[in-house]
Amino acid sequence: MLAKKYKSKIVSIENHNSSVYTISFESLSRPFKYYPGQFLHLALDENYDGAGEWPESRCFSMRSNPEEQVLRITYSVQGDFTKRMEQQLEVGNEVWLKLPYGNLFTQSHGKQNTVFIAGGTGITPLLSLFTHSSFNEYENPRIYLGFRSKEYNVYNDELSQMRQQRALKEDILLEIVYENEKGVLNIENIVGENSEHVPYFISGPPKMIKLFKNVLMNNNVPIENILTDDWE
């Protein structure tokens, strides 16, 4: 699927806490087209008209799924670009998005006993799959999520939706760890609870991805079974 430019309008901005925001966009032209787990480029240049060289932008994973009309991203304020977003973006603003990018879930992988691991806002590309009809193709998924505290887990609506969609199967393992209560996710424990022969999806901060990937490889998980969302 080729990346295309979408002139879009911000329809809502939700401030979850002091540093985490969710922005919802609607396309002002054709409907958004993407697959679960993909990401976009957001440009803030008010003078860009859709032609010429693409301006400065930043990547964000889609939190919404392709079956939704509105596209949503969630971000934490960490660097200069996200600080500009926090200060400049308002409901009603028009911005340019370029998407889709990435192949997180479209690359070849098994769908039985699949392990999904995410830290912080790294959960967003996983939510794009968990709330999509294609998630029903996965048998006995195992989900491990880590957050700094309950304040940073702002994804209960999607997690509840995921459970409702799979109510008849009742085959999901969902483990949520809060750092201020039990520490960080323990990748050694996770691999010990699962097989080295199943796919492991990892999404989160670059340091976490690198560490977890190394641990998995040291525990004889083949490299082709380690799939990461590490475009940053």
Side-chain angles (χ1 to χ4, degrees), residues 117 187-188 191 200-203 205-230:
I117 307 169
I187 185 60
E188 294 279 4
V191 72
Y200 287 79
F201 285 94
I202 311 172
S203 180
K207 288 183 180 179
M208 182 193 110
I209 292 176
K210 182 179 180 180
L211 171 63
F212 283 23
K213 187 175 182 179
N214 287 337
V215 172
L216 291 173
M217 289 190 295
N218 289 338
N219 280 273
N220 301 314
V221 177
I223 189 65
E224 61 267 21
N225 277 353
I226 306 173
L227 305 104
T228 61
D229 185 55
D230 54 358

Side-chain angles (χ1 to χ4, degrees), residues 152-163:
Y152 288 88
N153 180 5
V154 297
Y155 313 99
N156 286 321
D157 287 348
E158 286 99 333
L159 295 175
S160 296
Q161 180 183 342
M162 174 188 70
R163 285 190 175 280

Side-chain angles (χ1 to χ4, degrees), residues 96-120:
W96 283 93
L97 307 178
K98 193 175 182 182
L99 65 128
Y101 294 93
N103 65 343
L104 186 61
F105 299 121
T106 57
Q107 55 193 314
S108 178
H109 64 278
K111 296 183 179 180
Q112 291 188 335
N113 303 313
T114 309
V115 178
F116 300 90
I117 307 169

Side-chain angles (χ1 to χ4, degrees), residues 147-193:
F147 302 101
R148 277 190 270 177
S149 66
K150 289 182 179 178
E151 178 187 12
Y152 288 88
N153 180 5
V154 297
Y155 313 99
N156 286 321
D157 287 348
E158 286 99 333
L159 295 175
S160 296
Q161 180 183 342
M162 174 188 70
R163 285 190 175 280
Q164 291 171 5
Q165 289 177 178
R166 299 182 64 98
L168 295 178
K169 291 189 174 184
E170 296 184 345
D171 63 344
I172 292 178
L173 180 146
L174 174 59
E175 182 177 320
I176 300 176
V177 175
Y178 298 109
E179 184 175 349
N180 66 328
E181 296 179 3
K182 295 184 178 180
V184 298
L185 285 172
N186 189 314
I187 185 60
E188 294 279 4
N189 289 346
I190 292 173
V191 72
E193 294 172 2

Side-chain angles (χ1 to χ4, degrees), residues 1-4 6 32-42 57-64 66 71-73 97-105 124-126 128 203 228-232:
M1 192 183 299
L2 293 176
K4 296 181 179 180
Y6 295 82
F32 296 115
K33 289 188 177 181
Y34 57 97
Y35 296 119
Q38 292 192 295
F39 62 92
L40 57 78
H41 285 259
L42 165 66
S57 62
R58 190 185 186 282
C59 300
F60 297 94
S61 293
M62 270 75 87
R63 173 176 173 173
S64 52
L71 186 155
R72 288 174 292 123
I73 64 170
L97 307 178
K98 193 175 182 182
L99 65 128
Y101 294 93
N103 65 343
L104 186 61
F105 299 121
T124 53
L126 305 190
S128 184
S203 180
T228 61
D229 185 55
D230 54 358
W231 40 259
E232 289 189 323

